[in-house]
Amino acid sequence: MPHTPHAILSRQPIDGLRWPVLDPFLFCAHHDDAYPAGDGQMGLQAVALDERELGSDFSGKDGFSMYHGEHVPGFPGHPHRGFETVTLVRKGLIDHADSLGAAARFGEGDVQWLTAGQGIQHSEMFPLLHRDQANPLELFQIWLNLPAARKMVAPHFTMLWSERIPRLVHTSDGGARTTVTVVAGALPGAGAPPPESWAGQADADVAIWTLRLEPGARWSLPAAQGAQTRRMLYWFVGQQLQVAGDTLREHAALEMAAGQDWVLENTGSDVAELLMLQGRPIAEPVVQYGPFVMNTQQEIMQTMMDYRRTQFGGWPWDSQDPVHGPEIRRFARHPGQQVEERPTA
């Protein structure tokens, strides 16, 4: 295939926790933590906590971080306003709790989509449920912006269970398969995004896909629908990948020309995996202060005053880092609803 110089508009290495993004996305983090066996209370044994700055540990020491957790790793209760969080879990289980009263334990391919809107508090803890084996955890945490007209919508909690997320499987001539998991976006079977999401606007052209190409697999990445759409393709697993005839040997974030089909081919001997984030830019000012994302500094100041006054509905949990028991399970309790149980692998 001839070299196509305009398929990849730019490329950046991805060798850390945080990856580069394009509007309408604000943030993309790849957490890949090799947690050891737990201590029987869903946390780390004391010896594993030595020489860590507990409460703010992003060290990656011994292959994992505690983040803001001090016994159970994770992110204890904290507020958000003005955007959405999308959490794709590839390995392990996460315990969610929020100021709406929603709770969940999810993983094994599940996705949680949380519209913070006018304000919410939530926690994301990583319980170490296995005492006799390792507790690996891998996930993508993605922040999707909201336009000014929707920043103050009511907060909303959504679970997208793995077994209900559509997957498109394409088999190449040689029998190698490409599997596209469609969290959001215009592929057959894609579900509706949460209400008030930027992803739900007809012309927003938001897509969140993961791609898995077996060795020898070849698949045509379809053109985006909108003329203004921007697209970032992250290659993070595999030995060698061809993108529109351009051979890559180092993992990278690739800004792709979104208006044309481009052929992807796994020319390595191992499976290749990619994440794709695309959307029409919101193209509004972004002013961020920690977990708050608004359009002006005055709105940030108002957000801080609102949070001090209302705590975004308060915190109905006994601790800032709640976990949901030692049982290996997947479940969700939506605000005001009964518990929904899902099968585990």
Side-chain angles (χ1 to χ4, degrees):
M1 177 179 293
H3 180 67
T4 309
H6 302 299
I8 301 174
L9 303 179
S10 67
R11 69 182 73 186
Q12 301 177 58
I14 48 173
D15 54 4
L17 174 68
R18 187 167 176 173
W19 294 355
V21 293
L22 301 168
D23 185 1
F25 295 93
L26 300 163
F27 178 88
C28 178
H30 181 220
H31 296 265
D32 191 2
D33 291 287
Y35 293 115
D39 66 351
Q41 297 179 325
M42 292 170 284
L44 269 292
Q45 298 180 28
V47 65
L49 300 176
D50 289 345
E51 301 179 6
R52 292 179 184 271
E53 188 177 347
L54 291 182
S56 185
D57 172 40
F58 291 78
S59 66
K61 181 177 180 289
D62 299 325
F64 65 89
S65 297
M66 289 294 292
Y67 305 108
H68 297 309
E70 297 190 2
H71 176 234
V72 177
F75 297 87
H78 57 280
H80 289 303
R81 173 180 275 185
F83 63 99
E84 303 181 272
T85 67
V86 185
T87 306
L88 290 70
V89 185
R90 288 164 54 85
K91 299 176 187 174
L93 293 168
I94 295 179
D95 279 359
H96 166 90
D98 67 36
S99 53
L100 300 174
R105 173 170 286 171
F106 63 100
E108 301 179 2
D110 300 326
V111 176
Q112 183 204 75
W113 196 309
L114 188 68
T115 303
Q118 64 188 1
I120 195 171
Q121 293 190 69
H122 77 143
S123 63
E124 303 156 292
M125 305 306 299
F126 310 150
L128 308 187
L129 299 174
H130 297 290
R131 299 181 60 182
D132 57 352
Q133 64 186 66
N135 289 275
L137 178 79
E138 184 185 2
L139 64 96
F140 290 113
Q141 171 88 160
I142 298 162
W143 289 10
L144 175 63
N145 202 8
L146 286 168
R150 294 178 181 269
K151 282 193 178 294
M152 297 298 285
V153 299
H156 191 271
F157 165 82
T158 301
M159 280 304 312
L160 306 177
W161 299 111
S162 177
E163 56 269 27
R164 298 176 181 172
I165 296 174
R167 289 171 174 81
L168 173 70
V169 178
H170 171 78
T171 303
S172 303
D173 291 342
R177 292 181 301 176
T178 298
T179 302
V180 184
T181 301
V182 186
V183 176
L187 277 180
E196 306 298 347
S197 174
W198 178 243
Q201 310 313 300
D203 59 349
D205 203 15
V206 170
I208 302 174
W209 303 343
T210 61
L211 288 66
R212 184 182 189 276
L213 284 74
E214 296 177 347
R218 180 183 173 93
W219 184 67
S220 181
L221 178 69
Q225 295 182 337
Q228 299 178 52
T229 299
R230 299 184 73 187
R231 170 181 284 176
M232 191 74 91
L233 189 65
Y234 307 88
W235 175 42
F236 65 98
V237 171
Q239 181 187 48
Q240 184 170 286
L241 183 73
Q242 277 197 359
V243 179
D246 192 347
T247 298
L248 307 180
R249 295 181 178 85
E250 296 182 357
H251 298 160
L254 311 170
E255 182 180 359
M256 302 291 296
Q260 186 173 335
D261 295 359
W262 302 111
V263 173
L264 308 179
E265 184 174 1
N266 181 4
T267 52
S269 58
D270 301 323
V271 165
E273 297 195 67
L274 304 95
L275 169 71
M276 193 193 76
L277 302 180
Q278 77 166 38
R280 179 170 66 85
I282 293 174
E284 294 178 351
V286 173
V287 179
Q288 180 176 352
Y289 183 80
F292 308 134
V293 181
M294 303 301 290
N295 296 102
T296 68
Q297 190 62 44
Q298 182 178 3
E299 290 172 339
I300 291 290
M301 294 175 65
Q302 183 64 54
T303 295
M304 296 172 67
M305 289 189 291
D306 290 347
Y307 179 60
R308 284 194 292 266
R309 186 181 72 254
T310 69
Q311 294 293 294
F312 293 164
W315 188 248
W317 304 92
D318 293 337
S319 70
Q320 287 296 114
D321 54 355
V323 289
H324 303 315
E327 183 182 353
I328 297 176
R329 58 192 288 231
R330 296 159 63 225
F331 79 93
R333 186 182 70 229
H334 294 259
Q337 298 183 20
Q338 293 183 335
V339 171
E340 176 188 14
E341 297 280 354
R342 302 303 305 169
T344 55

